[in-house]
Amino acid sequence: MSPVTAGVLQLLALIAALALAYRPLGDHMAKVYSSEKHYRAEKWIYKAIGANPSAEMRWPAYLRAVLAFSAASVLFLYLMQRVQGSLPGSLGFSSIDPDQAFNTAASFVANTNWQSYYGEQAMGHVVQTGGLAVQNFVSAAVGMAVAVALVRGFARSRTGELGNFWSDLVRGTVRILLPISVIGAIVLVACGAIQNFSGIHEVGQFLGGTQQWNGGAVASQEVIKELGTNGGGYFNANSAHPFENPTPFSNLFEIFLILLIPFALTRTFGRMVGNLRQGYAILATMGIIWIAFTALMMWTEFAHHGPAFDVAGGAMEGKETRFGVGGSSIFAVATTLTSTGAVNSFHSSYTGLGGGIAMLGMQLGEIAPGGVGSGLYGMLIMAIIAVFIAGLMVGRTPEYLGKKIGTQQIKLAACYILITPALVLGFTAAAMALDTPANSMTNSGAHGFSEILYAYTSGANNNGSAFAGLNADTQWFNSTIGIAMLLGRFLPMVFVLALAGSLAEQKPVPETAGTLRTDKPLYAGLLVGTILIITGLTYFPALALGPLAEGLAS
């Protein structure tokens, strides 16, 4: 079987698995967030934190709860790293330096999981499991909660109430993320991923000699890092490491976990607004972009010419022979079109155009299908923009799901889409202009610029993957990328929740003959075009200086 055929078969198997899980998971999540019943374990949690899960919140209260919980999480994770040397199970590792502890705390709370450290050489068992793994769950649940609040804004009328954040947070964790993670961890252990609390031990090498490795609760952390579109890794090699990702089947299973909830949330959206066809339209938009990017990535990596590439069956530099070009390309697109950041190959070694595809996937806003929760609310913001553009074309007040899109709504949507480009391009420009950041670059020219651009694109869009070749463990990068991650995560939520509140206060607008049908293929095509044009106009000059210049020169 040729490598191309193997890659296509993997993609088809992945699509089939996602299709099978789409309906039951989407319906289950809709029931979770619509139920008025509280489980006993959930009641214990509410009592412990002093929350009333039945109290409805308007958007300012919902936002305050999101920010308060996230701020406490950053502080807790920062302090845990700073005292690691005194904690049991530290494996002899010292406490983390202040700038790196801030960067890591911001990263995991912001659902980014950018790492400027070697996991197996820095973090002990307590920090890994009690700190980082916990944030993998709750940061994903926060994103899902905000997405559900926006959906309620469309579904409700004549009220500003968006539900209860604490209830949404706990239910998302207990009823959705935890059960799937338990099953997924068992599957990964069966595939060969490790799950233990062993200390540092010697491991023999094929060519003689030994190497030191520590164990850890890897399978349980691996499953939630993919399922929650978190990223990061127990080991520096991330999902290319055989302890994290042992076989081609586990590789495909991890990609499935990455895409599972973001795609299924479109059915949850359709179910909660009472129109499944609206969910299918959003799903179609996400699917078109995802499949197109995957096909382009596979083409750039398989078709790269030269004697070495011809013998290897594609551009194999930086890719695991266990997964090949096909498995690596599918993983790279899945991880950069979501806010995951896990990698099973090294994106800096991709062809110039391949690296550009990965970068553009993040710059779209990670909405195809995007992160857990963040992908859905990001796509709904773009849907509002598309409806507004269509309204301008025909001279009619734009409407979406029975709600008028007026001046207030479009201003909030515009602020949302401008935040991350401003962070990415502003920090990239500053890093290129200053001497200290430039000294961290191991490559010059277009590729060196791409490393800087990729780092801030990854941070501000809450992705977490890295181009490699960049020494990001400096005070400059730890601080600025940490700030970019926090602002890129929580500033958009301000506008999302404000938009949800304004929509929930409206009364429904009756559908007429002039209403744009947003559940038809024509609208899905308009939405795809809107996403690509807005992103292209924003990032094209920067992409032309980096990956495009490198790709055209090779």
Side-chain angles (χ1 to χ4, degrees):
M1 183 185 299
S2 70
V4 176
T5 303
V8 172
L9 290 177
Q10 289 181 65
L11 180 60
L12 293 176
L14 178 61
I15 293 173
L18 290 169
L20 288 173
Y22 175 75
R23 181 171 180 172
L25 180 58
D27 288 347
H28 170 67
M29 290 191 291
K31 291 178 182 178
V32 166
Y33 289 113
S34 302
S35 173
E36 296 182 359
K37 180 181 179 181
H38 304 295
Y39 293 167
R40 180 177 298 178
E42 295 171 349
K43 292 179 180 178
W44 293 342
I45 297 173
Y46 299 138
K47 186 175 182 180
I49 63 178
N52 178 5
S54 301
E56 288 282 339
M57 294 179 173
R58 299 177 68 86
W59 80 264
Y62 204 102
L63 175 63
R64 286 195 297 271
V66 169
L67 296 180
F69 176 75
S70 300
S73 297
V74 170
L75 180 60
F76 175 78
L77 189 53
Y78 174 83
L79 293 175
M80 180 175 280
Q81 294 175 83
R82 293 292 293 136
V83 300
Q84 175 179 245
S86 303
L87 295 175
S90 64
L91 301 177
F93 298 142
S94 60
S95 299
I96 308 300
D97 292 336
D99 58 304
Q100 193 172 72
F102 163 72
N103 180 276
T104 304
S107 177
F108 278 77
V109 173
N111 198 245
T112 309
N113 294 43
W114 168 275
Q115 294 172 290
S116 62
Y117 60 89
Y118 297 95
E120 66 270 35
Q121 299 178 14
M123 302 294 180
H125 292 321
V126 173
V127 174
Q128 288 277 18
T129 56
L132 306 184
V134 168
Q135 289 306 315
N136 282 349
F137 279 97
V138 295
S139 66
V142 167
M144 295 166 68
V146 173
V148 168
L150 179 58
V151 173
R152 292 193 186 113
F154 285 110
R156 297 180 177 183
S157 59
R158 297 185 176 92
T159 177
E161 296 174 343
L162 301 176
N164 184 282
F165 168 72
W166 304 109
S167 175
D168 293 337
L169 173 72
V170 172
R171 289 180 179 183
T173 303
V174 173
R175 303 190 196 182
I176 300 171
L177 297 174
L178 271 172
I180 301 175
S181 295
V182 170
I183 298 171
I186 294 172
V187 172
L188 288 179
V189 169
C191 289
I194 67 171
Q195 180 77 8
N196 57 55
F197 288 102
S198 68
I200 298 175
H201 53 275
E202 299 286 334
V203 177
Q205 297 177 314
F206 286 113
L207 300 179
T210 60
Q211 187 174 3
Q212 286 190 335
W213 284 107
N214 56 282
V218 175
S220 57
Q221 186 158 326
E222 187 76 11
V223 66
I224 187 56
K225 92 171 189 184
E226 313 294 16
L227 180 67
T229 60
N230 294 283
Y234 216 99
F235 299 100
N236 184 53
N238 209 281
S239 292
H241 198 291
F243 288 179
E244 291 193 24
N245 192 4
T247 67
F249 174 79
S250 69
N251 184 65
L252 199 61
F253 180 65
E254 290 185 13
I255 301 172
F256 169 76
L257 291 173
I258 290 171
L259 301 172
L260 179 61
I261 292 179
F263 273 129
L265 274 172
T266 61
R267 184 172 178 88
T268 304
F269 162 67
R271 182 68 71 186
M272 292 183 70
V273 299
N275 189 336
L276 289 176
R277 293 173 65 89
Q278 296 290 345
Y280 293 146
I282 298 297
L283 172 67
T285 304
M286 291 177 172
I288 288 169
I289 296 174
W290 171 61
I291 292 175
F293 269 60
T294 302
L296 284 172
M297 181 67 85
M298 292 177 72
W299 174 74
T300 61
E301 299 306 299
F302 275 122
H304 202 65
H305 297 297
F309 299 113
D310 292 338
V311 171
M316 279 298 296
E317 180 188 344
K319 299 181 179 69
E320 261 289 335
T321 55
R322 289 174 294 145
F323 312 136
V325 173
S328 297
S329 298
I330 298 170
F331 200 113
V333 171
T335 197
T336 51
L337 276 176
T338 64
S339 62
T340 310
V343 294
N344 74 345
S345 55
F346 290 89
H347 297 175
S348 184
S349 296
Y350 277 51
T351 63
L353 295 178
I357 291 169
M359 205 179 303
L360 181 61
M362 294 184 290
Q363 292 166 348
L364 289 181
E366 295 174 325
I367 52 178
V372 168
S374 61
L376 179 61
Y377 65 67
M379 182 60 81
L380 292 177
I381 294 292
M382 295 306 302
I384 290 172
I385 298 291
V387 166
F388 177 73
I389 292 173
L392 292 178
M393 290 179 179
V394 299
R396 179 180 171 85
T397 301
E399 303 166 8
Y400 186 58
L401 297 178
K403 301 296 178 71
K404 284 188 177 181
I405 307 303
T407 303
Q408 180 185 10
Q409 288 75 36
I410 203 64
K411 284 181 178 178
L412 291 170
C415 289
Y416 176 94
I417 64 174
L418 290 173
I419 290 171
T420 50
L423 292 171
V424 171
L425 299 177
F427 278 121
T428 299
M432 294 301 297
L434 299 175
D435 293 333
T436 301
N439 293 336
S440 298
M441 297 163 52
T442 56
N443 295 285
S444 59
H447 194 80
F449 174 78
S450 294
E451 292 175 350
I452 300 289
L453 179 63
Y454 193 104
Y456 286 111
T457 298
S458 178
N461 285 281
N462 301 133
N463 181 269
S465 64
F467 221 35
L470 177 70
N471 176 23
D473 185 16
T474 65
Q475 287 189 351
W476 167 267
F477 283 113
N478 280 332
S479 301
T480 56
I481 294 178
I483 293 170
M485 289 187 289
L486 291 175
L487 295 179
R489 174 69 166 179
F490 296 109
L491 273 182
M493 287 183 177
V494 175
F495 299 110
V496 169
L497 291 172
L499 176 62
S502 71
L503 293 171
E505 291 173 350
Q506 292 187 25
K507 61 181 181 179
V509 179
E511 186 175 307
T512 66
T515 301
L516 174 66
R517 295 294 300 273
T518 55
D519 57 355
K520 297 292 185 180
L522 177 62
Y523 176 72
L526 172 65
L527 184 51
V528 170
T530 301
I531 292 167
L532 295 178
I533 290 172
I534 289 177
T535 304
L537 290 175
T538 304
Y539 287 105
F540 182 78
L543 291 171
L545 294 173
L548 287 177
E550 182 183 0
L552 294 174
S554 60

